[in-house]
Amino acid sequence: MKRDAVFVYSDQLLRYRFSENHPFNQFRLTLTIDLLKQLGALDDSQIIAPRMAADEELTLIHDLEYVEAVKKAGRGELSESAGEGYGLGTEDTPMFKDMHEASAFLVGGTLTAADQVMTGQAAHAVHLGGGLHHGFRGKASGFCIYNDSSVAIKYLQEKYKARVLYVDTDAHHGDGVQWSFYDDPEVATYSIHETGRYLFPGTGNVNERGHGQGYGYAFNVPLDAFTENESWLDSYETTLREVAHFFKPDVILTQNGADAHYHDPLTHLSATMDIYKHIPALAHELAHEYCDGRWIAVGGGGYDIWRVVPRAWALLWLEMTEQQHLTKSFPKEWPAKWQPKAPYPLPDSWTDPADLYPAIPRKSEITEKNKLTVDKLLYPLRSQKK
């Protein structure tokens, strides 16, 4: 029997851990799952364990030499100088024990989700341990060792002959995925993010549109710093609808970074929890409109692991399983359980207070700048309609 949605998870995903104080912290998965269970929204029967990706799957995207270097790093056999050339042993991506195995489970989780959807066992699948969108063919970058989304997209192409629309709502540009398919007209990459003028990785300009046969299949919406909900959502809705209509994908893969929120310590956007209801709702709608429901969702960034990520990712699962009615109340047991460990007061509501942050002085200017970016992005698509 086909299920509506599956949730890919096992404790193996918690092995991806750089250090005690590193901002990338998979404990956010534990917090999210506990929130969903306290809510009664996630049952063990819906959870599927990830498998470990094989080397031949990793090398759909990554160089074998790089995979071997990651293995050596995880065994303590890669020197600091050798690691630098692979982006390993840096401040962003320190080496840690068994890093290959931990990373391969993250990739395998996204492949597990892909197989569930493409074989018709589930309409939708979520793997919150994935979404490591900065990894390159032969180099780690931005907390990302292997790029699970890029591997999964290539896997979807080769195994299922699918046209894939990749949608990235992380505050950081989805550079690794974009460059993996920059010359491929069978993959459309869409990224809405904070402008690279202020934020890592510094790419994702609106004029990055693809190369060769892939020209016109890369879409970037770089938003101005301090963008608020209204402008963020207007930019997202307007552009993604037109991109999906233009590309008409067989499957949608969404990367659901939760770092556009005002509380995120690494970014400069001013969104609130409101956007995390709308982001998956539009993806869900478009999946049914163009893909017979085929929707794979992964995690991504999100560095306020207490106040933001669990609520944002819980809202993704509630949308995927059509349990939005459960947001009428917030489980009191969850903040009570975790408050002793949390560095901030934990939320007791799905929404943020109206006075979350002081008024943004350049709001109209920021909104206008974002509208111009949207018009620039959509001009070629609208021109084709005339």
Side-chain angles (χ1 to χ4, degrees):
M1 185 179 76
K2 185 173 184 174
R3 291 192 275 187
D4 288 338
V6 293
F7 191 105
V8 179
Y9 177 79
S10 82
D11 288 347
Q12 291 284 354
L13 302 174
L14 304 179
R15 295 170 65 193
Y16 192 90
R17 186 155 174 75
F18 294 108
S19 68
E20 190 66 31
N21 298 315
H22 196 282
F24 189 98
N25 189 345
Q26 292 287 58
F27 186 62
R28 58 200 182 149
L29 297 175
T30 303
L31 293 169
T32 302
I33 289 168
D34 190 60
L35 176 56
L36 286 168
K37 288 193 168 182
Q38 297 276 12
L39 197 62
L42 178 64
D43 186 83
D44 285 343
S45 65
Q46 296 169 298
I47 299 175
I48 293 180
R51 61 178 175 81
M52 185 172 164
D55 286 5
E56 55 266 29
E57 292 168 332
L58 296 173
T59 53
L60 289 171
I61 289 294
H62 296 289
D63 294 332
L64 181 58
E65 178 188 321
Y66 173 63
V67 173
E68 293 300 328
V70 175
K71 289 179 182 178
K72 283 184 181 177
R75 297 194 298 262
E77 298 171 3
L78 191 70
S79 69
E80 193 176 314
S81 59
E84 280 180 12
Y86 298 108
L88 301 171
T90 64
E91 187 179 354
D92 274 1
T93 317
M95 301 184 207
F96 62 93
K97 190 176 185 299
D98 298 329
M99 65 192 301
H100 164 76
E101 290 77 10
S103 305
F105 264 105
L106 262 60
V107 178
T110 304
L111 298 180
T112 299
D115 281 331
Q116 284 285 316
V117 169
M118 298 308 290
T119 58
Q121 294 177 74
H124 318 311
V126 66
H127 173 232
L128 296 174
L132 304 188
H133 59 171
H134 296 307
F136 291 102
R137 182 170 293 279
K139 194 168 186 177
S141 176
F143 314 157
C144 306
I145 297 168
Y146 297 139
N147 192 320
D148 61 288
S149 293
S150 288
V151 172
I153 291 168
K154 198 71 178 173
Y155 181 82
L156 288 164
Q157 286 185 296
E158 298 211 348
K159 186 171 182 180
Y160 299 105
K161 311 302 178 196
R163 280 167 61 82
V164 184
L165 171 58
Y166 171 76
V167 177
D168 190 320
T169 52
D170 196 289
H172 300 84
H173 175 228
D175 57 340
V177 183
Q178 173 179 291
W179 303 128
S180 292
F181 301 99
Y182 207 53
D183 57 358
D184 189 341
E186 294 302 304
V187 177
T189 60
Y190 170 97
S191 179
I192 181 168
H193 48 266
E194 181 184 332
T195 172
R197 288 200 306 276
Y198 312 109
L199 191 67
F200 175 91
T203 53
N205 198 293
V206 70
N207 62 11
E208 292 170 24
R209 296 184 180 272
H211 179 262
Q213 287 188 317
Y215 184 79
Y217 292 90
F219 301 92
N220 287 292
V221 189
L223 300 175
D224 213 28
F226 310 110
T227 291
E228 298 176 78
N229 289 347
E230 298 88 345
S231 182
W232 199 104
L233 287 169
D234 183 60
S235 301
Y236 170 67
E237 290 259 355
T238 304
T239 53
L240 187 55
R241 284 188 187 281
E242 294 214 28
V243 168
H245 180 73
F246 158 76
F247 187 66
K248 295 181 175 61
D250 297 320
V251 58
I252 294 175
L253 170 59
T254 63
Q255 193 269 19
N256 295 270
D259 48 4
H261 194 280
Y262 175 78
H263 279 324
D264 196 273
L266 301 188
T267 65
H268 317 98
L269 295 172
S270 297
T272 74
M273 290 310 301
D274 286 352
I275 73 167
Y276 297 108
K277 287 182 181 176
H278 293 281
I279 288 170
L282 180 57
H284 197 179
E285 177 191 328
L286 295 175
H288 282 288
E289 186 173 349
Y290 295 102
C291 311
D292 195 27
R294 288 182 291 271
W295 175 24
I296 302 155
V298 294
Y303 307 100
D304 188 319
I305 70 166
W306 297 97
R307 295 174 294 183
V308 177
V309 181
R311 290 188 295 165
W313 284 355
L315 288 169
L316 166 63
W317 177 249
L318 294 179
E319 171 63 41
M320 191 175 266
T321 52
E322 298 188 3
Q323 299 183 90
Q324 300 94 327
H325 63 281
L326 293 177
T327 60
K328 289 176 182 173
S329 62
F330 194 86
K332 294 176 183 175
E333 300 83 359
W334 187 82
K337 177 178 178 179
W338 296 109
Q339 188 60 70
K341 293 188 176 183
Y344 316 104
L346 291 179
D348 58 4
S349 166
W350 291 102
T351 58
D352 290 318
D355 60 352
L356 181 67
Y357 56 85
I360 304 293
R362 294 171 47 248
K363 180 170 184 172
S364 59
E365 182 187 329
I366 291 166
T367 300
E368 184 57 33
K369 200 180 282 190
N370 290 339
K371 280 182 180 173
L372 290 172
T373 298
V374 166
D375 289 343
K376 251 185 226 179
L377 177 73
L378 293 179
Y379 178 77
L381 297 184
R382 289 168 174 168
S383 298
Q384 290 175 25
K385 292 179 184 177
K386 293 176 182 177

